[in-house]
Amino acid sequence: MMKVYPLICFFLLNVSLASSQSGHLKLWYNQPADALIPDDKNGWKDDPQWLKALPLGNGNIGAMVFGDVNRERIQLNEKTLWSGSNTDNDNPEAPKYLAEIRKLLFEGKFREATELTNRTQVCKGKGSGNGNGGNVPFGCFQTLGDLWIDFGTKKNYTQYYRDLNLNDAISHVNYQQDGVGFKREYFISAPGNAMVVKFTANKRGSISFTAILNRPERFTTTALKGELIMSGALDNGNGGSGMEYMARLKAKLKGGQQSILNNQLVIKNADEVILYLTASTDYLPEYPIYKGRDYKKITRDNLDKAFAKDFSQMKQMHIADYQKYFKRVSLQLADESMEDNLPTDVRLNKIKETKDDHYLSQLYFQYGRYLLISSTRENTMPANLQGIWANEIQTAWNGDYHTDINVQMNYWLAENTNLSELHLSLTKFIQQIEKPATRSASVQFNMKGCCIGPIINVWGYTSPGEHPSWGLISGASGWICQHLWEHYLFTKDKKYLQNVFPTLKNFAKFYLNWLVTDSTTGNLVSGPAASPENAFKAPDGSQGTISMGPSHDQEIFEELFTNVISGSVILNDKDEMINQIKSAKNNLLKVQIGDDGRIMEWAKQYKETEPGHRHLSHLYALYPGSAFNNVQTPAYVVAARKSLEYRLQHGGGHEGWSAAWVTNLYARLKSGDNALDALNDILIKKTADNLFNLNPPFQIDGNFGATAGIAEMLLQSQEGFIELLPALPASWKDGEVKGLCARGGFVVDMKWKGGWLVSSRVFSKVGGNCKIKNRGYNIELKTQPGKWYVLPMN
């Protein structure tokens, strides 16, 4: 083993701008999205033209820019805009049946146990409305509405071009019409919390249009002091008015005239027009009311401040804010001759024939990072099922926070792709729901601690769902807690750990109460519980979904207990509960390997009713967990591979988010070619023209999960050391990546040729020991904070 103790080379680093960025990262097209085709009112059906529009966002306000010529549509969102209201869905009758259900399951009476579970272990009230909760108290994430810009012409146009530049988060539209060249720029500023749109032409007096603000329902648009103001209140789910909202629009002109006519903004013969839009709601993330924000003042103040600045100021502020995140990481997989030579929609069609496109892979990677920066910031709500973009009143699955994989997948890329601060939007949200989750533990289960089900909204819903097969997921609590711990592992921020550790302990406390002893094995098992959404053929001939000790739960319980024990050592926490957790962890039923060499999804070797099921929950400990690894548990890694291959052979991984999970699983198996196949499957089958990931319908988790998977192919750190290029596909022969992050507070740059590493360096944020491996060598470094270490190559 090669040991390097002295510094080979070091530099002081501004970590926030760690790497340069290629100038060719953009989505671009030669046609607009058609703004005249109306949306389908069925939110479960994707709207093809909306999936051609380009997304902008600042973590609070989102927009989908159609780029149409004669009538532009900018579909708008405000992330907190939900129907519904806080309501009591915890079922106080549920606890009295738990003991009987467990007894029936241990006796093998699955039919009776399932019937009793289905009848009793559910929420009270209407729950999520079966994923259609727009008009029930659970509520739904909804569109804010649309900004329509009608240019009053139907003339033809030429030389059309539109793009979304990932380097500066600005969208452009250019075209020629009636002998005049027109240009538009669109961006949403985080510092100003405002959307800005600039219209210019190469001939004076050429810009004329009418601007309208509206939405499908529950709105009023008025005019005041030259502004358009759209406002209203959504359905609270109980027959009354709920969340209140407001959007304001104002124009700044050079030349020409503006006026208000019939609550529409009319622009005539201007040389240049800049539109400023602000939006907010009265939502306040404080249990149990969740209302109280002065949204009227917020929108007014933000509009006044934005309007007082000139366009160049707003643009520079926006770019500086965005690039402090985006420019931390660069990825080069494609030869420069391949870059940017085809419109994005054409590239997508072409990959169906070529089956691989290195430039599209690196573009998709950076697009995932762009989407996370645009849909969440440190002090906003987390990115939901659609990030921040939804065009319907009833969004699919309510656009909520699914905790049986989806919201977690949204943040898989946060740490390793150097967007750590954005992870805090999720960790803070977890702490915000701790109070209602404590109530759910007490009322729904008559237990101490706190727990959540598989669905959460902005109103503090933490109860189970309407049906136990998908709604009774006890592992959701521990899975969401993994993110609290992962942020610490990557940052080594002890102050942060002190802040979140009580929450980790509170969730672990529930698990201590929830676990029961299996009289046959003497081990502790979770149950009644489902392996998310999957079913099995029970020994009594029935179809089972509920059992005792499914592997998904056992893996997650062990992980949370392990993390809490580790945290107690770091923080010198002497709480007596830590000893209880140690005892429980040691007595957990271990995940079993079946006779066929696969990981058993349930505690006993039941046969799946759907061998190609979309969920891969029993492989949690491979990814995103790490208990299945080559260093400590190689037999489980082999079994996990067999499990994954079996599921895929039977049609698994067929949904966008599921294929993204497969990408990460194969990366952890160090199978780069298989991981790339899964990624390309997403690009070929599950990607819209604007690169949104399709379940279908659209879910953004697949975008984020695939980006994380690309990072996992290039860098891993879950086994106690940093491994460089652990799952490099054979076709990625030459490449370079800068700015990826590893656990322990390290940042890595590296370059390879012919599949072999030719240069690499590591930056240490906090100091400490650093072990690095790559085929051919192992290195141990004793690092100091704030220094780069150039690694020797063989």
Side-chain angles (χ1 to χ4, degrees):
M1 178 180 292
M2 183 185 301
K3 295 188 178 183
V4 181
Y5 293 103
L7 275 180
I8 300 168
C9 182
F10 66 88
F11 307 90
L12 292 180
L13 173 71
N14 180 350
V15 174
S16 67
L17 295 175
S19 54
S20 60
Q21 197 72 41
S22 168
H24 300 286
L25 287 170
K26 60 184 178 182
L27 287 66
W28 67 280
Y29 309 83
N30 288 328
Q31 301 88 25
D34 193 338
L36 298 181
I37 297 179
D39 293 340
D40 193 313
K41 293 183 179 179
N42 181 358
W44 294 85
K45 292 180 64 177
D46 284 319
D47 292 293
Q49 297 305 311
W50 189 79
L51 291 175
K52 295 178 181 179
L54 296 174
L56 298 173
N58 66 355
N60 289 305
I61 300 171
M64 296 291 288
V65 178
F66 280 62
D68 212 345
V69 172
N70 295 328
R71 193 176 191 220
E72 171 67 298
R73 177 188 180 190
I74 305 174
Q75 185 267 314
L76 302 168
N77 288 101
E78 207 282 347
K79 196 199 288 184
T80 62
L81 186 61
W82 271 67
S83 63
S85 55
N86 177 255
T87 190
D88 177 12
N89 289 103
D90 293 322
N91 181 1
E93 297 298 309
K96 66 179 69 174
Y97 300 99
L98 277 175
E100 177 63 18
I101 293 168
R102 288 165 169 167
K103 180 174 181 292
L104 290 169
L105 288 171
F106 282 134
E107 292 173 352
K109 298 177 180 178
F110 287 90
R111 191 185 309 277
E112 295 90 337
T114 299
E115 290 174 354
L116 185 58
T117 302
N118 290 347
R119 181 163 50 86
T120 65
Q121 300 306 300
V122 293
C123 62
K124 182 176 70 176
K126 297 180 179 179
S128 70
N130 293 308
N132 290 287
N135 296 315
V136 302
F138 186 91
C140 176
F141 175 58
Q142 296 189 359
T143 179
L144 174 63
D146 293 281
L147 169 58
W148 298 92
I149 303 169
D150 192 335
F151 293 89
T153 181
K154 296 183 179 180
K155 292 182 179 180
N156 293 329
Y157 53 88
T158 60
Q159 300 179 45
Y160 181 88
Y161 171 89
R162 66 182 173 114
D163 72 20
L164 171 59
N165 192 322
L166 302 186
N167 288 306
D168 57 18
I170 298 176
S171 181
H172 305 85
V173 172
N174 303 332
Y175 58 92
Q176 294 278 332
Q177 188 176 50
D178 203 20
V180 180
F182 293 91
K183 294 184 178 182
R184 307 176 195 164
E185 282 186 84
Y186 315 70
F187 62 86
I188 302 181
S189 165
N193 202 17
M195 183 177 75
V196 183
V197 186
K198 182 180 181 180
F199 303 83
T200 57
N202 62 6
K203 181 180 178 182
R204 289 189 175 185
S206 297
I207 303 173
S208 299
F209 61 75
T210 300
I212 303 168
L213 281 174
N214 62 20
R215 73 188 304 271
E217 64 177 30
R218 305 180 78 97
F219 80 98
T220 301
T221 300
T222 59
L224 179 66
K225 297 180 180 180
E227 298 176 17
L228 288 188
I229 303 174
M230 181 175 68
S231 60
L234 302 193
D235 188 341
N236 71 355
N238 293 306
S241 294
M243 190 181 295
E244 300 175 21
Y245 68 90
M246 178 172 285
R248 297 177 186 262
L249 179 72
K250 193 172 183 179
K252 183 186 293 184
L253 276 62
K254 287 184 180 179
Q257 305 86 38
Q258 66 171 309
S259 60
I260 301 291
L261 180 64
N262 297 325
N263 294 321
Q264 300 177 6
L265 176 63
V266 180
I267 306 294
K268 290 186 177 180
N269 305 321
D271 304 331
E272 175 186 290
V273 181
I274 303 172
L275 295 180
Y276 299 84
L277 182 139
T278 59
S280 186
T281 73
D282 68 344
Y283 179 77
L284 197 63
E286 295 180 2
Y287 176 79
I289 305 301
Y290 292 105
K291 286 167 68 71
R293 187 165 57 167
D294 191 348
Y295 65 104
K296 295 179 181 178
K297 184 177 187 300
I298 290 171
T299 55
R300 182 177 62 249
D301 289 350
N302 287 340
L303 186 62
D304 289 346
K305 291 176 184 177
F307 198 82
K309 294 181 174 64
D310 61 33
F311 179 80
S312 62
Q313 286 180 292
M314 288 292 291
K315 183 176 177 179
Q316 289 169 7
M317 289 170 55
H318 159 71
I319 292 174
D321 172 79
Y322 170 76
Q323 288 187 343
K324 73 183 180 184
Y325 301 105
F326 187 76
K327 292 191 75 173
R328 295 173 184 175
V329 174
S330 64
L331 174 64
Q332 188 75 29
L333 297 174
D335 184 275
E336 290 186 5
S337 63
M338 297 174 59
E339 292 186 358
D340 208 29
N341 57 2
L342 290 172
T344 305
D345 52 341
V346 176
R347 292 195 88 107
L348 273 176
N349 283 325
K350 189 175 180 181
I351 196 177
K352 295 175 182 177
E353 301 173 2
T354 64
K355 307 301 181 184
D356 195 11
D357 183 331
H358 296 176
Y359 174 72
L360 198 54
S361 295
Q362 71 188 38
L363 181 68
Y364 199 77
F365 170 82
Q366 292 289 24
Y367 188 54
R369 298 182 68 248
Y370 165 83
L371 291 173
L372 189 64
I373 298 167
S374 300
S375 61
T376 193
R377 294 297 175 92
E378 180 178 346
N379 293 310
T380 71
M381 297 293 288
N384 61 39
L385 274 173
Q386 297 196 194
I388 197 174
W389 301 280
N391 61 322
E392 302 285 355
I393 295 298
Q394 178 56 63
T395 305
W397 297 282
N398 298 315
D400 67 9
Y401 299 102
H402 271 40
T403 57
D404 56 353
I405 186 173
N406 309 95
V407 71
Q408 293 96 328
M409 185 180 285
N410 283 2
Y411 288 85
W412 282 357
L413 76 162
E415 299 295 341
N416 61 0
T417 75
N418 215 330
L419 299 173
S420 183
E421 304 95 317
L422 305 187
H423 209 171
L424 295 175
S425 63
L426 179 62
T427 62
K428 290 178 181 179
F429 181 67
I430 296 167
Q431 291 181 289
Q432 289 167 5
I433 63 172
E434 188 173 354
K435 286 184 178 179
T438 300
R439 186 184 189 279
S440 291
S442 175
V443 177
Q444 182 80 33
F445 299 105
N446 192 28
M447 295 181 185
K448 297 177 181 180
C450 63
C451 68
I452 59 172
I455 51 174
I456 303 175
N457 62 9
V458 300
W459 305 111
Y461 184 104
T462 52
S463 310
E466 300 93 276
H467 195 284
S469 64
W470 62 266
L472 188 63
I473 309 295
S474 46
S477 298
W479 193 335
I480 204 86
C481 282
Q482 187 204 43
H483 288 261
L484 298 176
W485 184 251
E486 281 289 286
H487 183 72
Y488 169 73
L489 290 182
F490 275 88
T491 64
K492 293 297 182 179
D493 184 341
K494 192 172 180 179
K495 184 176 180 181
Y496 159 83
L497 182 59
Q498 289 172 333
N499 177 258
V500 301
F501 195 62
T503 303
L504 286 168
K505 288 169 60 178
N506 207 14
F507 278 104
K509 182 185 293 184
F510 174 80
Y511 280 177
L512 287 176
N513 284 262
W514 175 254
L515 288 164
V516 294
T517 300
D518 183 330
S519 57
T520 302
T521 66
N523 296 119
L524 295 174
V525 293
S526 167
S531 185
E533 302 179 27
N534 206 357
F536 58 90
K537 295 178 182 178
D540 63 0
S542 65
Q543 177 171 300
T545 58
I546 302 299
S547 70
M548 300 300 294
S551 295
H552 169 261
D553 278 25
Q554 300 299 121
E555 292 167 19
I556 289 176
F557 282 39
E558 182 173 7
E559 178 187 74
L560 179 58
F561 287 167
T562 299
N563 294 342
V564 171
I565 293 167
S566 297
S568 71
V569 173
I570 296 166
L571 299 176
N572 195 29
D573 188 308
K574 302 298 185 182
D575 190 333
E576 176 57 31
M577 189 179 76
I578 304 300
N579 288 327
Q580 298 174 32
I581 291 173
K582 289 178 181 178
S583 176
K585 179 196 169 188
N586 291 335
N587 200 30
L588 281 172
L589 178 68
K590 300 299 180 184
V591 174
Q592 303 296 305
I593 297 175
D595 295 339
D596 58 3
R598 292 187 290 142
I599 300 292
M600 286 167 47
E601 187 158 357
W602 297 277
K604 295 184 180 179
Q605 208 159 316
Y606 306 132
K607 189 174 182 179
E608 308 101 311
T609 58
E610 186 184 349
H613 195 267
R614 60 193 174 276
H615 279 269
L616 299 149
S617 305
H618 55 315
L619 302 185
Y620 174 92
L622 179 64
Y623 187 92
S626 59
F628 295 171
N629 63 74
N630 289 310
V631 175
Q632 298 168 312
T633 54
Y636 280 112
V637 174
V638 173
R641 179 186 293 275
K642 290 183 179 180
S643 300
L644 178 58
E645 291 173 347
Y646 180 87
R647 185 139 300 179
L648 295 179
Q649 288 165 3
H650 289 82
H654 52 272
E655 297 185 346
W657 60 265
S658 186
W661 197 354
V662 171
T663 303
N664 285 276
L665 289 167
Y666 268 127
R668 284 286 174 90
L669 290 169
K670 315 299 172 69
S671 298
D673 289 342
N674 293 120
L676 180 58
D677 286 344
L679 173 65
N680 284 334
D681 197 53
I682 294 170
L683 294 172
I684 293 167
K685 300 176 183 178
K686 300 296 180 182
T687 301
D689 280 358
N690 65 0
L691 300 189
F692 272 175
N693 187 275
L694 303 177
N695 187 48
F698 161 58
Q699 281 182 206
I700 203 165
D701 46 9
N703 285 99
F704 296 140
T707 293
I710 293 171
E712 285 285 327
M713 292 156 75
L714 301 174
L715 182 75
Q716 294 181 24
S717 59
Q718 74 281 355
E719 294 179 303
F721 54 86
I722 299 172
E723 186 170 5
L724 309 180
L725 305 181
L728 186 70
S731 65
W732 290 0
K733 295 180 180 179
D734 303 333
E736 183 176 21
V737 66
K738 297 180 179 180
L740 292 183
C741 291
R743 292 165 183 82
F746 300 104
V747 183
V748 178
D749 296 352
M750 53 186 162
K751 186 174 183 178
W752 64 94
K753 288 185 180 294
W756 287 87
L757 202 63
V758 295
S759 66
S760 60
R761 60 177 188 164
V762 176
F763 179 79
S764 178
K765 295 181 181 179
V766 296
N769 293 332
C770 179
K771 296 181 180 180
I772 303 166
K773 293 187 178 183
N774 176 253
R775 58 179 184 175
Y777 68 81
N778 299 329
I779 296 175
E780 294 183 10
L781 301 174
K782 292 184 177 180
T783 70
Q784 300 177 32
K787 293 183 178 180
W788 276 110
Y789 294 79
V790 176
L791 306 180
M793 297 294 101
N794 287 349

